[in-house]
Amino acid sequence: MSGRSLSEIPDAELVRRPSETDDVAYANRIALAVHYTSYNCEPGDFSLTPIERALSATLAQLALIDASLIWSEGLLQKRTLICGFCGQRAVITSEILRKNGIQAWAFGVGGHVLVKFAAGGHDYLVDPDYGISAYRYDVRRGVLRAEIAGKYTKAGWANANEIYRYVSSRSDNEDYLNPEYVLHIENMQDVVFHYANAIAIGLILLAPCAAFGVRSKIARSASWSPRVLTAREYLLPDAKRASWRGERFSDRTSMGIAGSTNLDDEEFGARRRGPSRLDQ
């Protein structure tokens, strides 16, 4: 893969330009774009986030998605593809071509998957997995062998003969995945990615609020220290106690207690309570 991944390329860059009147040239551009912006991997070699995995399991338990099918063919959308098997890359290439007016589909040739498309009354094959430009499919075997050998060998691949055997064995060549089947898988994957993104955004938005709440609680706990009422504060009427700020009494006669202002709290309390029952 060179530079950006396919998922990072805006759709507008892959749309057919007004000057691209040649179907074959446009198909070549798209196939090579997919080839150079992704890399080959097995269908299951992709990473889901923990949220996506948990959501997939939940939706499968609720029978809202088909657990055995949703990821069986890998990621089948341009916006999610980073790596893919030959089939995935062919599916995405054919989808882009169909959206731009070219009749195209992923085409299985035994041990490999290409893109087959129609242009100018002929059938062509293009290989986004190997990065091979289009060549005619509806030709004699000798011409087909020479075309494949020339293109794959020139591109640095040493398995041109193997590719020729795949392509020339017409008995097992057929559409790889029909568009309806692909669309069904794409729709299920869309559901998972949509709700997983919504959950992730929600968690991101809630995180600062939760952090602020914890920080505020810690700050309040650190700044608050309980003050034990002294005996003299305790004995004040409620209204006076509420306005008490710790001022030192200079005269206690107003409370009916005569004597020095230096009485400690214990003695002060004893005098306020009066004689005990034993004293009586």
Side-chain angles (χ1 to χ4, degrees):
M1 186 166 66
S2 60
R4 296 173 298 172
S5 68
L6 183 65
S7 59
E8 296 173 328
I9 294 181
D11 291 342
E13 291 188 21
L14 301 175
V15 170
R16 190 169 185 171
R17 301 164 187 150
S19 60
E20 291 180 306
T21 57
D22 186 343
D23 291 346
V24 175
Y26 175 65
N28 285 340
R29 179 169 80 85
I30 297 304
L32 294 177
V34 173
H35 173 73
Y36 286 117
T37 58
S38 62
Y39 61 93
N40 184 281
C41 68
E42 295 296 323
D45 289 349
F46 59 90
S47 297
L48 295 177
T49 66
I51 293 176
E52 290 163 352
R53 291 186 183 280
L55 187 59
S56 293
T58 301
L59 294 177
Q61 288 293 324
L62 297 174
L64 297 177
I65 61 173
D66 187 341
S68 64
L69 183 63
I70 181 171
W71 309 117
S72 61
E73 301 295 339
L75 302 178
L76 295 179
Q77 298 173 335
K78 173 234 170 218
R79 66 182 177 82
T80 60
L81 183 74
I82 295 176
C83 74
F85 201 51
C86 57
Q88 294 165 257
R89 299 168 104 181
V91 164
I92 290 173
T93 301
S94 63
E95 282 194 344
I96 296 172
L97 294 179
R98 280 199 304 275
K99 289 177 180 177
N100 287 273
I102 295 179
Q103 185 183 1
W105 54 95
F107 191 63
V109 292
H112 192 38
V113 183
L114 307 164
V115 173
K116 184 180 179 182
F117 68 94
H122 299 288
D123 290 335
Y124 288 84
L125 297 177
V126 65
D127 192 340
D129 194 47
Y130 281 85
I132 304 300
S133 59
Y135 54 90
R136 287 270 300 275
Y137 180 60
D138 54 352
V139 293
R140 294 181 293 106
R141 291 196 175 203
V143 176
L144 183 63
R145 178 189 288 273
E147 189 78 1
I148 289 175
K151 286 183 175 291
Y152 283 83
T153 303
K154 184 178 180 180
W157 302 103
N159 58 342
N161 289 333
E162 182 181 29
I163 297 295
Y164 169 71
R165 286 197 302 272
Y166 291 150
V167 175
S168 61
S169 60
R170 304 291 177 99
S171 60
D172 59 356
N173 294 358
E174 59 185 1
D175 292 357
Y176 179 63
L177 299 175
N178 67 63
E180 292 76 17
Y181 179 85
V182 172
L183 182 61
H184 177 56
I185 296 176
E186 286 184 355
N187 287 339
M188 289 192 295
Q189 292 180 1
D190 263 338
V191 169
V192 172
F193 289 131
H194 173 76
Y195 286 106
N197 288 340
I199 292 171
I201 291 172
L203 292 175
I204 291 172
L205 294 177
L206 287 175
C209 299
F212 179 78
V214 171
R215 186 166 62 249
S216 299
K217 184 176 181 181
I218 293 174
R220 288 195 302 269
S221 300
S223 63
W224 182 80
S225 56
R227 186 167 62 88
V228 179
L229 292 174
T230 63
R232 66 179 61 170
E233 289 178 278
Y234 181 77
L235 293 171
L236 288 172
D238 289 342
K240 294 281 280 181
R241 191 187 311 159
S243 62
W244 175 257
R245 294 293 181 271
E247 296 90 343
R248 182 179 180 84
F249 274 95
S250 60
D251 185 2
R252 301 187 185 187
T253 57
S254 62
M255 297 180 64
I257 302 174
S260 169
T261 58
N262 293 321
L263 295 175
D264 60 25
D265 289 335
E266 184 176 353
E267 185 178 356
F268 177 73
R271 290 192 182 188
R272 179 68 178 83
R273 289 192 299 271
S276 67
R277 295 181 63 187
L278 292 177
D279 294 335
Q280 294 176 354

